[in-house]
Amino acid sequence: MNTVEKIKKLKEEKKAIILAHYYVDEEVQKIADYIGDSFYLAKVASQTEADRIVFAGVEFMGESDAFADCPMAHMITIKEIKEMREKYDDLAVVCYINSTAEIKQYADVCVTSSNAVKIVKALPQKNIFFIPDQNLGDFVRKQVPEKNVMTNYGHCPRHTNITLEKLNEAKEKYPEAKVAVHPECKREIVEAADFVGSTSAIIDYVVQSDAKDFIIGTVDGVFAKIKELAPNKELHTIMDVQVCPNMKKVTLEKILDVLENETNEVILNDEFMQKALSPLEKMLELAK
Ligand code: 13P
Ligand code: SF4
């Protein structure tokens, strides 16, 4: 039996499902039961009746593989949140899902890139401390001008690496191409794009568009789904390399090991879990 066959067999035996983010390698996406953006995967995880969930993503998604970590998840401290709470009576702490479970305990609501604008708009508070991604926070600030959106210094190294100079070069090379980027990119990139959205939204935009050529400002893992749904599209990256090294750590061998030996189980104590769960549940409710 090869690795894929072993995974399929164990998955059935152990009543497990595999959830994969679009940024993991194509071969891992192929064995997944559900592939999606962070919001979709969070929803599937909260609704499944499976006995086990194997999360093929970075640590914050399942708090599972400590070696496949998202650096942005650690770019905010509890101290910073407490200081902001002391400063403002009327404050909502809005926590991007790319954060640790420990930080989520101190948040009012979680968001993903696909629902951040909608959720911030729906909050009763005027003052918003948006953590830990300053670029997604800035995107929200522009879309929700009636709120006072404050951010901290956090960012995704993969998306902030994307430069306007390189984007302009790509536009010159492919003048017919539409530009679709993730809101984790810097403001100048977002402003120069035709479309800004989550990984799922970018895929939908490209697949449904009449255009043929696209310059994509996010991790190139999204190319696999686009190629499957719309093989005739021409996809170009902005930078020479647009990979998330953390997501790349998820391999078929590691998934097999998790299923076979039941390694990397996430164990959170009840009190901790309840506190971290509350802003996630609020997100699911407000995003409806
Ligand atoms: P999405 O929620 O758009 O899938 O993004 C997750 C992520 O990590 C982007 O870098
Ligand atoms: Fe984290 Fe950036 Fe990788 Fe997304 S692309 S998981 S934000 S490091």
Side-chain angles (χ1 to χ4, degrees):
M1 239 190 275
N2 64 27
T3 308
V4 171
E5 287 162 350
K6 280 187 200 161
I7 290 174
K8 284 187 178 158
K9 186 168 173 279
L10 278 168
K11 219 170 56 161
E12 288 206 359
E13 278 172 19
K14 301 202 172 184
K15 293 199 177 67
I17 55 166
I18 300 177
L19 310 188
H21 190 269
Y22 290 122
Y23 289 169
V24 299
D25 280 347
E26 193 172 350
E27 60 177 16
V28 177
Q29 292 189 35
K30 278 194 177 143
I31 49 101
D33 299 286
Y34 299 90
I35 316 167
D37 68 1
S38 312
F39 181 55
Y40 173 75
L41 297 176
K43 255 194 326 193
V44 173
S46 72
Q47 289 163 0
T48 183
E49 287 182 357
D51 288 352
R52 291 160 216 271
I53 301 173
V54 181
F55 225 119
V58 279
E59 193 190 354
F60 73 80
M61 296 181 168
E63 285 282 321
S64 49
D65 184 345
F67 300 103
D69 203 0
C70 168
M72 174 159 60
H74 304 279
M75 293 185 189
I76 176 74
T77 61
I78 294 164
K79 185 168 167 271
E80 285 169 277
I81 301 174
K82 285 188 173 163
E83 280 170 4
M84 286 299 263
R85 288 218 189 267
E86 269 171 29
K87 255 195 195 160
Y88 296 90
D89 290 335
D90 173 38
L91 183 81
V93 176
V94 177
C95 187
Y96 190 25
I97 203 162
N98 296 41
S99 52
T100 61
E102 189 190 15
I103 286 295
K104 287 185 178 83
Q105 293 183 97
Y106 295 86
D108 295 296
V109 63
C110 284
V111 296
T112 72
S113 58
S114 70
N115 57 34
V117 169
K118 184 178 179 185
I119 289 178
V120 169
K121 267 190 187 157
L123 291 172
Q125 294 90 340
K126 181 163 171 55
N127 295 307
I128 308 291
F129 187 32
F130 192 101
I131 54 170
D133 185 9
Q134 60 179 300
N135 293 308
L136 180 60
D138 187 47
F139 179 70
V140 171
R141 184 185 292 125
K142 276 194 84 183
Q143 308 292 315
V144 196
E146 66 274 23
K147 303 267 181 184
N148 175 28
V149 179
M150 297 164 277
T151 53
N152 71 308
Y153 66 90
H155 64 276
C156 162
R158 304 301 130 216
H159 287 85
T160 46
N161 263 354
I162 297 176
T163 65
L164 189 57
E165 193 191 347
K166 283 287 202 179
L167 174 56
N168 286 337
E169 274 176 30
K171 279 182 166 182
E172 255 178 53
K173 206 166 163 193
Y174 310 106
E176 301 293 314
K178 294 278 181 203
V179 180
V181 307
H182 197 279
E184 285 179 13
C185 291
K186 290 180 289 200
R187 181 187 274 214
E188 65 212 46
I189 304 294
V190 166
E191 284 178 346
D194 297 293
F195 180 81
V196 187
S198 74
T199 50
S200 286
I202 289 175
I203 293 168
D204 290 347
Y205 168 76
V206 173
V207 170
Q208 283 160 25
S209 167
D210 292 334
K212 191 167 182 292
D213 257 82
F214 296 87
I215 296 167
I216 306 290
T218 196
V219 172
D220 67 8
V222 298
F223 287 16
K225 195 55 162 185
I226 299 173
K227 286 281 165 206
E228 182 194 318
L229 298 173
N232 60 330
K233 303 283 180 184
E234 294 284 338
L235 306 173
H236 314 284
T237 56
I238 301 168
M239 310 304 287
D240 296 337
V241 182
Q242 273 176 214
V243 298
C244 172
N246 314 299
M247 294 271 191
K248 279 246 167 247
K249 290 179 184 157
V250 181
T251 59
L252 289 178
E253 288 67 33
K254 280 198 190 158
I255 290 183
L256 181 59
D257 178 54
V258 164
L259 280 167
E260 222 162 32
N261 304 312
E262 297 176 19
T263 49
N264 286 346
E265 185 183 353
V266 185
I267 299 168
L268 300 174
N269 83 42
D270 277 355
E271 195 196 336
F272 185 92
M273 194 154 66
Q274 268 325 109
K275 280 192 187 156
L277 202 60
S278 151
L280 282 163
E281 285 176 344
K282 191 152 184 205
M283 169 181 82
L284 294 170
E285 183 197 314
L286 289 177
K288 267 183 199 155

